[in-house]
Amino acid sequence: LPLEGLQAGGSGPLYLKLRQSLEDAIQSGKLNHGDALPPERDLADYANISRVTVRKAVDDLVRDGLLVRRHGSGTFVVKPVSKVQQSLSRLTSFTEDMARRGLNTHARWLERGLYHPSPDEMMALGLPADALVARLGRLRIADDMPLAIERASISAEFLPDPQSVTSSLYTALDKTRSRPVRAVQRISACNIKDPDASMLGVAVGSAGLSIERVSYLASGRVVEFTRSLYRGDAYDFVAELTLSE
Ligand code: GLP
């Protein structure tokens, strides 16, 4: 990193000069996306400046989304993201949405089992307290980018064995002939907090989209109640609007 001349060159606060040289290093590819930043102590020694100054410059770049801190492992250069555009009006699964864009999906399981429903689940799924609900919590990853945290609740009647969901929930529901045909989805803006932020690899406070989907069978029964949190920098919803007659 070209940090030697920091003290000498130009006027202005040191931390801004350091910030600029780190930014230049990212832009010019000297620091690549996914690279770890050298420890702050090394940067300070190398550039012959205080650690406070280094921290201030790094904080700035984290706030602006160029760097991300991961607990226990260091500070990394953020991969620039191209947004995934999602049509608002089609009832598709995450796996299908990503496959259409040529992206492979995988998941990190956060939760997968049968439970008694929470009050929210009882309301959304129309179930009594002693019923059973399959809960599927997943960090959903497209190619290598964590895109969303998704927590789905399905009445055990439609999904008696949550372990049968290996990759796609909708494929598993197809098999029990309970794939939803209609859904109501609510989207709202939020700021992503920890631990979600570190799972998604974004700075705490970054913009997110919070999405709730309630899906129905043709009979009108509710199949699915799902809460998702998408990275705001990686997801776009697109709706086609027509003038009604
Ligand atoms: C989307 C929806 C979820 C739904 C999921 C199913 O992400 N927001 O409500 O549960 O798709 O995706 P898959 O079949 O890939 O598990």
Side-chain angles (χ1 to χ4, degrees):
L1 287 175
L3 300 179
E4 291 92 345
L6 276 189
Q7 296 276 23
S11 57
L14 260 181
Y15 89 92
L16 281 183
K17 289 196 245 169
L18 174 58
R19 191 206 132 107
Q20 193 57 53
S21 27
L22 289 173
E23 210 177 320
D24 292 346
I26 295 171
Q27 241 93 60
S28 68
K30 280 199 188 82
L31 277 175
N32 273 311
H33 310 300
D35 280 357
L37 206 66
E40 289 175 10
R41 181 199 307 268
D42 293 358
L43 283 175
D45 287 351
Y46 187 55
N48 200 16
I49 54 181
S50 78
R51 284 184 71 179
V52 181
T53 305
V54 173
R55 173 148 288 249
K56 220 168 157 201
V58 172
D59 281 348
D60 246 40
L61 291 169
V62 168
R63 193 200 52 212
D64 291 351
L66 277 81
L67 296 174
V68 63
R69 284 203 173 90
R70 301 222 173 92
H71 289 298
S73 50
T75 305
F76 295 85
V77 179
V78 170
K79 201 172 173 184
V81 290
S82 52
K83 284 199 171 187
V84 170
Q85 282 198 356
Q86 179 54 34
S87 155
L88 261 177
S89 53
R90 300 199 49 227
L91 179 52
T92 48
S93 75
F94 185 87
T95 309
E96 291 162 348
D97 294 341
M98 297 304 134
R100 203 167 304 122
R101 299 175 177 90
L103 302 175
N104 286 316
T105 44
H106 64 279
R108 207 176 94 206
W109 284 95
L110 309 172
E111 188 174 36
R112 179 168 38 173
L114 287 177
Y115 303 86
H116 288 301
S118 68
D120 277 1
E121 289 169 328
M122 286 167 60
M123 291 253 286
L125 299 171
L127 292 175
D130 61 354
L132 281 176
V133 163
R135 254 182 229 157
L136 308 172
R138 287 176 284 178
L139 174 66
R140 312 217 61 175
I141 302 163
D143 276 356
D144 282 330
M145 184 172 66
L147 202 57
I149 296 170
E150 198 151 67
R151 295 182 186 280
S153 308
I154 298 98
S155 166
E157 195 187 329
F158 305 119
L159 190 68
D161 177 16
Q163 304 298 327
S164 68
V165 183
T166 46
S167 51
S168 162
L169 167 62
Y170 280 12
T171 303
L173 289 175
D174 248 340
K175 292 195 180 123
T176 61
R177 302 176 146 273
S178 332
R179 183 173 169 138
V181 296
R182 188 174 76 83
V184 176
Q185 187 157 279
R186 179 189 300 268
I187 304 177
S188 53
C190 64
N191 292 106
I192 308 179
K193 300 193 220 34
D194 260 338
D196 297 344
S198 58
M199 275 196 272
L200 290 170
V202 297
V204 172
S206 311
L209 292 165
S210 164
I211 300 172
E212 256 188 37
R213 182 185 286 188
V214 176
S215 311
Y216 301 84
L217 295 179
S219 66
R221 293 276 320 267
V222 176
V223 192
E224 172 200 15
F225 169 51
T226 296
R227 282 163 286 193
S228 316
L229 173 63
Y230 281 83
R231 282 173 60 151
D233 63 350
Y235 220 75
D236 256 351
F237 283 93
V238 181
E240 185 181 299
L241 309 177
T242 52
L243 183 68
S244 59
E245 309 279 296

